[in-house]
């Protein structure tokens, strides 16, 4: 039974340490008491037993609450009342009467003198609100999580089971939550702050700002709302990621010193440089160890992640949407509000636990998707580029189907004058010169693909337009532009279509909706190739990134609801739009345009800090790789694609039969495991040798796992040192043996040439070796000695469990 009641326990002074009532799986509890100085205090405790996650808030009088606990559940949550007296800082010399102790939205009125976290203006004049709490709600509304995007109101909620029998609902759900109502009546600013503990034990925050004044006052402009989580003083190191096209998610570390570290993203999308997570932890924290706390802004437009520490107080990590001046204005009398994106927080002992919380939340938003394994797909981009031809693609589809591919995706080049990337973008009509009506039409190809038992996918780039296109010539007012007669700096011969214009929005939605129905499209690859800069709507004369992002979400929703079963991939020149905002709707992300498996080793690893492996597009490409011209073995390319959403980015018509046959073997092996891959726990091992990587997927029951060992370059240790296997049950005994396609790849007579060991590796046999989970986690197992840019996979199965 889950208790979401607004229960109260009174206590005299906070120091009396009241004992909490027993907490069920989901708990939202409130306690009232009195502080040492006689002022009233209130504590709110949110907890989830299943994920061992909790959030504790303390209110002093009518002040905004402070987060005094974020982590695992408390044994006596009523003691949160004592937190006010226990943690309140003393006054110090040379400062204000109150030493900064940040609330959930600190302002200068509560002595915050760091970077402004709330910026509101009226008539161009900065306001300095001092909020008074007017209500605290821990009831049903506070813990409401909306239905998933594919929820059908006609049939009602569906409980969908995965391979373990665990169900997840498409309908709305209730979780522990709180809503705090506050206002500054004198300045006419209203605030509503939400916090919830959602699936996986993630804590998320959101704020809404309202204008309380009427039309006789100037409108209220919102310039910034940045939410955050305090972290312990021991969290003195920050991990983020940087990157660029073809090298996304490159990790970087630095000390968390006094001052502010911020990563703004102002390209109208998270972009290649997006960190996904900003993580603060104890020095040296890594995947398997170290207290760590991470934040993420669930927004697909402009945003900022930050970490800040003042000389007076502990560090805060968080972020919010990055707004341009005039982008959000609120007319009078509360008619409208600005709602921030959700800011998510995760914690754990090591990054594997931090990531697992995000993964479980994403699974909860896509129960249908994770009820089974992902279909293997072939995307035509690197196979044919713009050279579309019915006979070629029909033959490629047949070859793909024979190899085990289940989804065939036609990429850019099927519409308008789009024979290269300089023209036709935005003209979403099938090109008759390439796909003429009749037996060699695009519809005929889609029917052929369906007849082969595969799903049919098609590429779109709905937000973009070539100036050399019919739609741009007919509707120049549909293009975002900073001034009349001046377009933004161009990128890839593209500009950005103004989807905040109702006519442009209707054109795009109608074109995509009609083609999806006409062709029987099962899957859309949604691309986004131009940085969104100087983004002003000609219709309003105001910056439009916020409204543009909301319009994109709306098109996703409409298409998915109009076409049940439709899946949409978020691609943005590869990994340029990866965030929990788009993942509410998208069923897959394309991690990078680079399918070079050496580069992909870390791109995929650090993308998986946020995204479950089964949603990360990982493709077997050609050698040499088109993006880097690096030659790699087919074994490495297949191994690197095996633990994600496996696909093919390769012209199989030009490959020898033995290469295609080997690909078919690996695809068949992937299909044996993919139902488990959908829900397995993704783990990464730590290594002091920068040349090696070990990644794995472990069953939730810990009955079995599959790990991948990769030797990226020559190593510091030769042969490679034993690698620890995280995620197993330390008390159980496991049989460790090569995955079947890899069995013959690492002995002294290795026919493939990927290994360089000169003697037999004792455990690399069909029978393998028996070891305890504790030994595998503590001491590890010696991997095969491989040449640089090689990888192998092996399985770990608990004794008594069928292989």
């Amino acid at each position: 039974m889950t208790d979401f009641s607004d229960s109260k326990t009174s206590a005299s002074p906070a120091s009396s340490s009241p004992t909490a009532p027993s907490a069920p799986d989901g708990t939202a509890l409130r306690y009232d008491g009195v502080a040492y100085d006689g002022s009233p205090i209130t504590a709110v405790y949110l907890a989830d037993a299943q994920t061992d996650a909790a959030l504790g808030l303390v209110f002093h009088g009518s002040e905004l609450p402070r987060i005094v606990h974020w982590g695992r559940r408390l044994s006596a949550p009523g003691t949160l009342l004592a937190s006010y007296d226990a943690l309140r800082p003393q006054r110090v010399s040379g400062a204000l009467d109150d030493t900064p102790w940040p609330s959930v939205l600190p302002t200068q009125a509560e002595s915050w003198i760091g970077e402004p976290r709330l910026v509101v203006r009226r008539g161009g004049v900065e306001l300095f609100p001092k909020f008074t709490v007017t209500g605290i709600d821990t009831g049903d509304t506070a813990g409401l999580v909306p239905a998933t995007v594919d929820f059908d109101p006609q049939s009602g909620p569906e409980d969908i089971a995965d391979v373990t029998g665990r169900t997840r609902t498409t309908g709305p759900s209730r979780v522990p939550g709180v809503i705090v109502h506050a206002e500054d009546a004198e300045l006419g600013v209203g605030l509503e702050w939400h916090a919830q503990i959602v699936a996986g034990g993630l804590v998320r925050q959101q704020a809404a700002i309202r204008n309380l004044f009427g039309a006789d006052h100037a409108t209220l402009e919102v310039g910034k709302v940045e939410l955050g989580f305090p972290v312990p003083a021991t969290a003195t190191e920050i991990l983020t990621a940087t990157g660029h096209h073809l090298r996304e998610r490159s990790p970087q570390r630095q000390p968390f010193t006094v001052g502010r570290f911020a990563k703004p993203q102002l390209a109208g999308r998270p972009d290649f440089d997006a960190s996904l997570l900003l993580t603060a932890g104890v020095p040296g924290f890594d995947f398997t160890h170290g207290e760590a706390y991470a934040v993420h802004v669930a927004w697909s437009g402009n945003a900022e992640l930050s970490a800040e520490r003042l000389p007076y107080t502990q560090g805060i990590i968080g972020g919010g949407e990055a707004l341009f001046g005039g982008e959000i204005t609120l007319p009078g009398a509360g008619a409208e509000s600005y709602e921030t994106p959700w800011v998510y927080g995760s914690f754990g002992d090591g990054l594997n636990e931090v990531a697992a919380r995000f993964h479980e939340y994403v699974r909860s938003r896509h129960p249908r998707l994770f009820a089974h394994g992902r279909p293997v797909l072939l995307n035509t981009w690197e196979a044919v580029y713009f050279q579309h031809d019915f006979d070629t693609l029909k033959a490629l589809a047949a070859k793909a189907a024979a190899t085990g591919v289940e989804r065939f995706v036609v990429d850019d080049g099927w519409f308008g004058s789009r024979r290269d990337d300089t023209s036709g973008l935005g003209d979403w009509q099938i090109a008759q010169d390439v796909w003429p009506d009749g037996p060699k039409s695009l519809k005929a190809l889609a029917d052929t693909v369906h007849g082969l038992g595969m799903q049919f996918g098609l590429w779109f780039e709905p937000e973009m337009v070539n100036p050399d296109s019919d739609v741009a010539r007919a509707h120049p007012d549909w293009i975002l532009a900073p001034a009349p007669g001046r377009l933004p700096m161009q990128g890839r011969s593209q500009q950005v279509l103004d989807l905040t214009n109702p006519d442009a929005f209707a054109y795009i939605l109608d074109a995509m909706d009609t083609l999806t129905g006409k062709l029987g499209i099962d899957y859309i690859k949604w691309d986004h190739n131009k940085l969104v800069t100087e983004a002003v709507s000609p219709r309003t004369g105001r910056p439009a990134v916020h409204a543009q992002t909301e319009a994109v979400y709306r098109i996703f929703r409409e298409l998915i609801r109009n076409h049940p079963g439709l899946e949409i991939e978020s691609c943005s020149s590869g990994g340029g739009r990866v965030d929990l905002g788009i993942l509410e709707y998208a069923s897959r992300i394309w991690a990078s345009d680079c399918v070079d498996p050496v580069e992909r080793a870390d791109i995929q690893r650090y993308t998986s800090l946020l995204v479950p492996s089964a949603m990360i597009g990982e493709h077997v490409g050609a050698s040499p790789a088109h993006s880097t011209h690096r030659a790699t073995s087919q074994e490495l390319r297949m191994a690197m694609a095996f633990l994600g959403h496996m696909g093919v980015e390769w012209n199989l018509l030009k490959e020898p039969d033995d290469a295609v046959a080997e690909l078919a073997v690996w695809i068949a092996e992937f299909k044996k495991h993919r139902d488990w891959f959908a829900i397995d726990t993704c783990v990464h091992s730590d290594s002091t040798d920068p040349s090696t990587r070990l990644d794995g997927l472990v069953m939730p029951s810990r009955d079995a796992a599959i790990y991948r060992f990769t030797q990226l370059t020559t190593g510091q240790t030769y042969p490679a040192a034993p690698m620890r296997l995280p995620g197993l049950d330390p008390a159980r005994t496991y049989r460790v043996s090569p995955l079947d396609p890899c069995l013959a790849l690492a002995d002294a007579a290795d026919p493939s040439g990927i290994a360089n060991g000169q003697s037999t590796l004792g455990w690399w046999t069909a029978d393998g070796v028996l070891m305890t989970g504790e030994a595998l986690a503590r001491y590890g197992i010696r991997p095969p000695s491989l040449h640089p840019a090689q990888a192998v996979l092996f399985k770990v199965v608990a004794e008594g469990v069928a292989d």
Side-chain angles (χ1 to χ4, degrees):
M1 180 70 68
T2 301
D3 177 10
F4 297 98
S5 62
D6 190 9
S7 57
K8 298 182 181 181
T9 300
S10 296
S12 328
S15 57
S16 64
S17 301
T19 301
S22 59
D25 282 354
T27 302
L29 301 173
R30 173 174 169 169
Y31 305 89
D32 292 309
V34 180
Y36 179 79
D37 61 6
S39 58
I41 54 174
T42 296
V44 170
Y45 177 69
L46 308 180
D48 178 64
Q50 187 175 18
T51 58
D52 193 21
L55 182 74
L57 306 171
V58 166
F59 300 74
H60 175 246
S62 62
E63 297 171 358
L64 288 177
R66 293 170 172 88
I67 296 174
V68 292
H69 176 76
W70 171 35
R72 306 192 192 282
R73 290 178 302 149
L74 298 172
S75 59
T79 58
L80 285 172
L81 283 171
S83 296
Y84 179 76
D85 286 330
L87 298 176
R88 181 186 177 185
Q90 292 177 287
R91 183 186 308 154
V92 291
S93 64
L96 298 169
D97 283 355
D98 284 338
T99 300
W101 183 20
S103 72
V104 294
L105 191 57
T107 65
Q108 287 200 345
E110 59 179 57
S111 74
W112 175 258
I113 55 172
E115 177 76 11
R117 305 180 82 83
L118 172 67
V119 176
V120 286
R121 299 181 178 94
R122 197 182 295 280
V125 177
E126 188 106 359
L127 304 181
F128 297 94
K130 178 178 174 59
F131 290 108
T132 297
V133 172
T134 58
I136 304 170
D137 177 13
T138 57
D140 290 355
T141 303
L144 182 66
V145 176
T148 62
V149 68
D150 57 354
F151 169 70
D152 183 354
Q154 301 301 318
S155 59
E158 292 183 69
D159 291 331
I160 300 173
D162 61 28
V163 68
T164 69
R166 178 183 175 181
T167 61
R168 295 175 176 85
T169 183
T170 62
S173 58
R174 291 171 54 208
V175 299
V178 62
I179 301 176
V180 177
H181 305 273
E183 64 180 31
D184 183 325
E186 288 77 13
L187 296 180
V189 182
L191 169 67
E192 192 173 277
W193 181 81
H194 297 240
Q196 296 177 336
I197 300 182
V198 293
L202 292 182
V203 177
R204 66 178 188 177
Q205 303 179 47
Q206 184 186 57
I209 302 295
R210 285 187 171 81
N211 182 7
L212 303 182
F213 284 165
D216 54 333
H217 287 75
T219 59
L220 185 71
E221 179 187 341
V222 180
K224 183 179 186 180
V225 183
E226 184 175 316
L227 303 174
F229 295 87
V231 294
T234 52
T236 57
E237 186 172 83
I238 300 170
L239 172 67
T240 57
T242 182
H244 53 72
H245 188 226
L246 309 179
R247 197 176 189 271
E248 299 85 349
R249 322 288 174 248
S250 179
Q252 59 183 10
R253 290 177 183 264
Q254 65 190 73
F256 190 175
T257 56
V258 172
R260 179 179 172 88
F261 172 83
K263 275 188 67 68
Q265 308 298 149
L266 297 173
R269 64 186 191 188
D271 207 39
F272 315 118
D273 182 44
S275 184
L276 303 189
L277 305 184
L278 184 153
T279 307
V282 298
F285 72 89
D286 218 321
F287 286 99
T288 64
H289 71 280
E291 183 182 359
Y293 301 84
V295 287
H296 171 79
V297 178
W299 184 244
S300 308
N302 292 339
E304 181 169 292
L305 285 170
S306 70
E308 188 167 10
R309 189 189 301 274
L310 301 185
Y312 304 98
T313 189
Q314 67 201 92
I316 299 176
I317 58 175
E321 183 179 9
L323 296 166
F324 291 121
E327 195 164 4
I328 300 294
T329 55
L330 304 176
E336 296 179 19
S337 66
Y338 164 68
E339 290 187 355
T340 71
W342 286 103
V343 177
Y344 287 78
S346 181
F347 67 90
D349 183 13
L351 293 168
N352 286 337
E353 185 180 2
V354 167
R357 297 187 185 279
F358 285 106
H359 296 175
E360 181 51 36
Y361 173 74
V362 175
R363 291 188 190 106
S364 77
R365 305 307 295 159
H366 295 275
R368 245 181 278 277
L369 194 70
F370 289 95
H372 47 73
R374 311 303 297 125
V376 179
L377 67 79
L378 183 144
N379 187 63
T380 66
W381 180 241
E382 289 194 4
V384 299
Y385 291 100
F386 289 105
Q387 305 308 308
H388 286 206
D389 170 80
F390 177 84
D391 292 331
T392 299
L393 291 186
K394 178 182 177 182
L396 182 58
K399 177 78 81 169
T403 311
V405 169
E406 300 154 305
R407 176 181 286 163
F408 189 82
V409 183
V410 175
D411 211 292
D412 193 0
W414 56 267
F415 53 91
S417 60
R418 188 76 165 178
R419 307 290 80 79
D420 57 33
D421 66 2
T422 65
S423 73
L425 187 61
D427 298 337
W428 300 113
Q429 296 81 38
I430 298 169
Q432 290 297 300
D433 58 329
V434 177
W435 299 103
D437 291 340
K440 294 191 175 184
S441 65
L442 191 58
K443 178 66 166 66
L445 179 66
D447 291 344
T448 298
V449 168
H450 286 136
L452 290 167
M454 295 188 292
Q455 297 176 355
F456 179 72
L458 197 61
W459 180 95
F460 289 87
E461 194 174 2
E463 298 150 84
M464 304 296 165
V465 63
N466 287 133
D468 183 6
S469 65
D470 292 342
V471 72
R473 283 185 286 270
H475 302 285
D477 57 315
W478 286 7
I479 300 175
L480 294 175
R486 179 167 72 86
L487 291 176
M489 181 178 289
Q490 195 160 277
R492 205 189 179 200
S493 301
Q494 293 180 193
Q495 295 294 345
V496 183
L497 205 64
D498 181 7
L499 294 180
T500 72
N501 183 309
D503 294 333
F505 179 94
Y507 163 72
I508 291 296
L509 178 58
D510 181 67
M512 297 182 73
D513 190 55
T514 300
L515 282 166
T516 300
K518 177 181 177 182
L519 299 177
I521 295 171
D522 305 290
Y523 182 86
I524 289 173
K525 179 179 178 181
W526 182 309
D527 215 337
H528 178 283
N529 284 309
K530 184 193 178 293
L531 305 183
V532 182
T533 56
E534 305 170 78
V536 176
S537 169
R539 180 171 167 269
T540 64
R542 291 179 177 272
V545 176
H546 175 86
Q548 181 87 355
T549 305
E550 290 187 324
V552 168
Y553 291 161
R554 185 178 160 202
I555 295 176
F556 268 77
R557 285 196 299 268
E558 293 290 330
L559 289 173
I560 292 169
R561 289 171 180 171
N562 290 350
H563 303 279
L566 176 69
E567 294 187 15
I568 306 178
E569 173 185 288
S570 173
C571 174
S572 187
S573 300
R577 184 153 64 187
V578 182
D579 63 273
L580 290 185
I582 207 71
L583 288 176
E584 285 285 321
Y585 312 104
S587 57
R588 186 184 201 251
I589 63 100
W590 182 226
S592 176
D593 280 345
C594 180
V595 296
D596 178 334
V598 174
E599 300 297 324
R600 275 285 186 139
D602 278 352
I603 292 171
Q604 293 171 183
R605 171 176 271 220
Y606 286 93
T607 299
S608 76
L609 287 180
L610 180 72
V611 186
S613 299
M615 293 182 82
I616 302 175
E618 302 181 2
H619 289 186
V620 181
S623 178
H626 292 196
S627 56
T628 64
H629 290 198
R630 178 189 279 125
T632 54
S633 71
Q634 185 172 338
E635 288 78 18
L636 175 65
R637 294 177 349 250
M638 293 185 297
M640 197 54 63
F642 193 81
L643 298 183
H645 184 181
M646 190 176 189
V648 180
E649 193 87 13
W650 197 8
N651 191 346
L652 302 181
L653 299 175
K654 294 183 177 181
E655 297 304 317
D657 290 344
D658 59 344
V660 177
E662 187 177 0
L663 176 64
V665 169
W666 281 76
I667 289 174
E669 185 71 24
F670 172 78
K671 291 178 179 178
K672 293 179 186 177
H673 308 284
R674 61 180 173 183
D675 284 352
W676 286 103
F677 284 177
I679 58 169
D680 279 351
T681 301
C682 177
V683 296
H684 306 285
S685 187
D686 303 323
S687 173
T688 57
D689 187 342
S691 73
T692 62
R693 303 287 186 275
L694 188 132
D695 315 289
L697 292 172
V698 183
M699 283 185 178
S701 62
R702 298 193 286 182
D703 283 349
I706 292 178
Y707 293 95
R708 176 179 59 220
F709 169 73
T710 307
Q711 185 78 50
L712 287 178
T713 64
T714 56
Q716 295 173 341
T717 304
Y718 185 57
M723 298 293 293
R724 293 178 171 185
L725 307 187
L728 302 173
D729 185 339
R732 299 173 76 177
T733 300
Y734 292 88
R735 184 173 299 279
V736 189
S737 62
L739 197 67
D740 290 350
C742 294
L743 183 57
L745 298 183
D747 60 26
D750 172 28
S752 70
I754 76 167
N756 63 18
Q758 297 183 4
S759 63
T760 300
L761 183 64
W763 68 273
W764 200 264
T765 66
D767 291 334
V769 67
L770 288 174
M771 296 184 70
T772 66
E774 181 181 15
L776 290 167
R778 187 180 298 274
Y779 304 111
I781 193 164
R782 178 83 64 176
S785 183
L786 303 180
H787 289 300
Q790 302 291 358
V792 292
L793 292 119
F794 54 94
K795 56 191 175 183
V796 180
V797 182
E799 283 292 273
V801 175
D803 191 349

